[in-house]
Amino acid sequence: MRHSIRAFAHPSHRPQALYRPAHGDRCTLVLLGATGDLAKKKLLSAVGDLRRKGLLPGACRIIGVDRMDLDDAGFRGLVAEAIAKGDGADGMDPRDLHSMLTRTHYVAGDLTDPELYEDLVTHIGLLERDVPPESRNRLFYLAVPPAVFEPAVAHLSRVGLLTRRSAEERPWARAIVEKPFGRSFESAAALDRAVRSRIEEHQIFRIDHYLGKETVQNIVVFRAANAMFEPIWNRDHVSHVQITAAESVGVEGRGGYYDTAGAVRDMFQNHLFQLLALTGMELPTSLRANAVRDEKVKLLRSVRVLDPARTVRAQYGSGVVGGRIVRGYREETGVSPETHTETYAALELAIDNGRWRGVPFFLRSGKRLAGRCTEIAVHFKTPPYLIEGLTGEEPGEPLPENVLVLRVQPEEGMSLSFATKVPGVVRALDPELSVAPVDMRFDYDEAFGTEHHAAYETLLLDATIGDATLFTRSDEVATSWRLLDPLLDRWAADPTPLPTYHAGTWGPKEADALLEDHGFGWRVPGS
Ligand code: BG6
């Protein structure tokens, strides 16, 4: 049985409106792919939330660009609908919404058509005619399919909207780029060369929305601000680390894309490797973008070449999720019935540096698992010396280990489990004294009661401020691909059918062996 105690923030603590008080610059936000899934589900409501909190200057214009045949009124309706479905809908002052919508516009066209970009120049010119030249900042959000990314940047640059600028130059021009950034080291490098031939690295904001999540930002702060943990954050005290990103959803209408990607490209190369880097890296000298990114790259470069024998891939079969029968991956729309694409992967990684040599890091992620949960669990070694007679809860059981869990979602926070004496009188002559694990638990919502800040809201704001700390740099992307390419090539060449796991379970039994070989076992995520 587990027992738990809860942690609360000091009552004098007042939550911050957002983790930093800075406001974004006045700018024109041009959203390419404005009627797509991402825009409708995340981006438009994030823009609304920024406006509601007064973090995006009222003078900012929003221009949606996409293939769908809409006029300004049609797009405004779509924006209003997205905001109404978002978290902060109730709190938005109707006057703010109205004023935001009157500054929202739409340009229809094919994103690969050169003429669309001439139209865009005309529109932006008209909308910005009253804006002083030095304030004509432009943020281009490329929520477009990978194939459109390069032509879109080329056209924006050709028509003079997105051109090379120095970091200090005003007005600024920046591009936010959605993942996936390439599908291998080579393709990512080619894309990078193409983009860098037109703009500078500091103008590119590569999104990994995990970096915008509160608990992910907390990893470094937590390590740096607590004298208790950093001294034991190493091979002397940590037995292993488990990083899990479990989803209960399937491919959700994205079968066509997903079948060309798979779990490793979709989740590991970006989100899981970012969690790995932040957990394992040396502490940066500051929280400035390059200081943090330098340390992340160093850590990723220390990861030893992956041993394919220490990896597992699998596909979900049919099963029951949330009381509903769901079909298997091969039956999903847009997925080939003979597909070899993995919907689950587990990797064992070894880090070759003084801090981590000999400490395995286990990463796993999958779709259609038993629940939605992303967490980093740091398992500590049990004490090297035990008083005679101390056992786990049952006689003869080993003592429970200390585990620190950083919960990324759904209940953002952390917990620390430690061992404690089961109540009862201690007698010197007792043959055995049992010890039980207790969880000390901290929930962000419960402790601070802050309003939820969606990851995209934080990231959009940072891009308007020009702070790239929570975005990935090109060498991080390249290093991640370099690590994964050999495995992906090997998997692609292997015709053996993939193992399957029942939808609604925690994954294939093959993944258990990875840990059992070391005498460990996977945690039940969220437990
Ligand atoms: C995206 C992946 O990057 O992250 C999706 O493409 C995945 O397949 C999603 O579902 C998970 O994000 P979150 O924030 O729900 O964990």
Side-chain angles (χ1 to χ4, degrees), residues 492-516:
D494 181 353
T496 323
L498 268 57
T500 53
Y501 56 99
H502 287 295
T505 63
W506 285 118
K509 60 179 183 334
E510 287 78 357
D512 296 342
L514 277 185
L515 278 81
E516 281 161 9

Side-chain angles (χ1 to χ4, degrees), residues 179 209-210 213 247 249 254 257-258 266-267 271 367 372 374 409:
K179 64 172 265 276
H209 76 279
Y210 268 52
K213 293 181 191 268
E247 296 186 273
V249 293
R254 296 160 76 221
Y257 149 74
Y258 194 87
D266 190 50
M267 294 293 288
H271 310 323
K367 297 224 180 260
R372 174 175 185 252
T374 300
Q409 58 194 25

Side-chain angles (χ1 to χ4, degrees), residues 68-143:
M68 192 187 276
D69 191 17
L70 286 179
D71 55 10
D72 284 356
F75 184 57
R76 287 171 187 168
L78 200 138
V79 174
E81 201 180 313
I83 291 177
K85 284 188 192 150
D87 288 344
D90 296 342
M92 187 137 185
D93 182 333
R95 282 166 305 185
D96 274 350
L97 178 62
H98 180 260
S99 124
M100 179 180 150
L101 292 178
T102 54
R103 295 172 166 276
T104 298
H105 309 269
Y106 188 75
V107 181
D110 177 344
L111 292 164
T112 55
D113 177 3
E115 269 184 41
L116 170 71
Y117 296 85
E118 320 287 350
D119 276 3
L120 199 53
V121 174
T122 314
H123 267 81
I124 294 181
L126 281 172
L127 294 172
E128 287 182 347
R129 62 184 180 274
D130 298 331
V131 179
E134 69 282 4
S135 299
R136 290 180 188 160
N137 301 313
R138 289 158 194 165
L139 180 60
F140 296 92
Y141 197 121
L142 287 103

Side-chain angles (χ1 to χ4, degrees), residues 32-33 66 111-112 142-152 178-180 257:
L32 285 85
D66 216 338
L111 292 164
T112 55
L142 287 103
V144 299
V148 178
F149 172 58
E150 198 184 321
E178 262 302 326
K179 64 172 265 276
Y257 149 74

Side-chain angles (χ1 to χ4, degrees), residues 4-336:
S4 67
I5 43 181
R6 309 190 76 80
F8 293 94
H10 191 277
S12 67
H13 185 92
R14 292 265 70 83
Q16 286 170 284
L18 200 62
Y19 69 99
R20 71 188 73 194
H23 287 211
D25 288 344
R26 173 180 183 159
C27 66
T28 298
L29 168 63
V30 184
L31 189 50
L32 285 85
T35 65
D37 235 33
L38 182 72
K40 284 195 277 194
K41 286 191 185 144
K42 308 269 187 195
L43 302 179
L44 297 174
S45 58
V47 177
D49 278 341
L50 287 176
R51 182 73 182 87
R52 177 170 60 83
K53 292 173 185 165
L55 294 166
L56 202 61
C60 286
R61 302 251 175 210
I62 300 154
I63 305 181
V65 186
D66 216 338
R67 191 189 267 272
M68 192 187 276
D69 191 17
L70 286 179
D71 55 10
D72 284 356
F75 184 57
R76 287 171 187 168
L78 200 138
V79 174
E81 201 180 313
I83 291 177
K85 284 188 192 150
D87 288 344
D90 296 342
M92 187 137 185
D93 182 333
R95 282 166 305 185
D96 274 350
L97 178 62
H98 180 260
S99 124
M100 179 180 150
L101 292 178
T102 54
R103 295 172 166 276
T104 298
H105 309 269
Y106 188 75
V107 181
D110 177 344
L111 292 164
T112 55
D113 177 3
E115 269 184 41
L116 170 71
Y117 296 85
E118 320 287 350
D119 276 3
L120 199 53
V121 174
T122 314
H123 267 81
I124 294 181
L126 281 172
L127 294 172
E128 287 182 347
R129 62 184 180 274
D130 298 331
V131 179
E134 69 282 4
S135 299
R136 290 180 188 160
N137 301 313
R138 289 158 194 165
L139 180 60
F140 296 92
Y141 197 121
L142 287 103
V144 299
V148 178
F149 172 58
E150 198 184 321
V153 171
H155 288 309
L156 288 170
S157 158
R158 175 182 56 80
V159 297
L161 289 173
L162 181 61
T163 51
R164 194 180 294 284
R165 316 256 164 108
S166 70
E168 297 72 35
E169 211 171 322
R170 292 295 176 265
W172 49 255
R174 300 176 186 142
I176 302 186
V177 180
E178 262 302 326
K179 64 172 265 276
F181 199 82
R183 51 176 288 109
S184 62
F185 172 74
E186 267 314 315
S187 58
L191 200 53
D192 212 49
R193 279 194 298 275
V195 178
R196 298 276 288 278
S197 70
R198 311 200 181 258
I199 52 178
E200 296 289 333
E201 173 68 28
H202 69 83
Q203 296 176 268
I204 311 170
F205 289 72
R206 293 178 199 78
I207 281 235
D208 183 318
H209 76 279
Y210 268 52
L211 293 179
K213 293 181 191 268
E214 192 67 51
T215 343
V216 176
Q217 296 167 50
N218 186 43
I219 299 172
V220 180
V221 176
F222 172 78
R223 288 181 51 196
N226 291 291
M228 275 159 72
F229 293 103
E230 196 54 22
I232 56 169
W233 208 256
N234 56 45
R235 62 194 300 265
D236 294 335
H237 300 278
V238 174
S239 73
H240 70 289
V241 178
Q242 299 183 17
I243 302 181
T244 301
E247 296 186 273
S248 53
V249 293
V251 288
E252 301 289 282
R254 296 160 76 221
Y257 149 74
Y258 194 87
D259 210 32
T260 62
V264 167
R265 286 193 173 91
D266 190 50
M267 294 293 288
F268 283 70
Q269 184 270 333
N270 32 71
H271 310 323
L272 270 84
F273 274 21
Q274 288 295 321
L275 298 183
L276 165 74
L278 290 166
T279 308
M281 71 184 190
E282 295 305 312
L283 289 178
T285 47
S286 80
L287 289 178
R288 291 191 184 285
N290 281 336
V292 176
R293 291 147 134 199
D294 286 348
E295 295 304 337
K296 283 196 285 172
V297 173
K298 268 198 257 169
L299 187 283
L300 291 172
R301 288 195 180 134
S302 314
V303 176
R304 209 184 292 157
V305 176
L306 280 174
D307 173 359
R310 307 302 301 159
T311 67
V312 171
R313 58 174 172 158
Q315 284 172 348
Y316 62 82
S318 57
V320 179
V321 175
R324 209 163 48 89
I325 297 180
V326 297
R327 56 189 165 179
Y329 178 59
R330 290 178 167 219
E331 286 90 55
E332 298 277 17
T333 314
V335 172
S336 151

Side-chain angles (χ1 to χ4, degrees), residues 309-372:
R310 307 302 301 159
T311 67
V312 171
R313 58 174 172 158
Q315 284 172 348
Y316 62 82
S318 57
V320 179
V321 175
R324 209 163 48 89
I325 297 180
V326 297
R327 56 189 165 179
Y329 178 59
R330 290 178 167 219
E331 286 90 55
E332 298 277 17
T333 314
V335 172
S336 151
E338 277 90 46
T339 181
H340 270 64
T341 300
E342 77 287 353
T343 62
Y344 175 100
L347 316 180
E348 178 182 334
L349 301 176
I351 299 174
D352 255 337
N353 66 18
R355 190 190 276 263
W356 294 119
R357 177 171 277 221
V359 178
F361 279 66
F362 300 100
L363 276 54
R364 65 176 158 165
S365 178
K367 297 224 180 260
R368 282 280 185 241
L369 296 179
R372 174 175 185 252

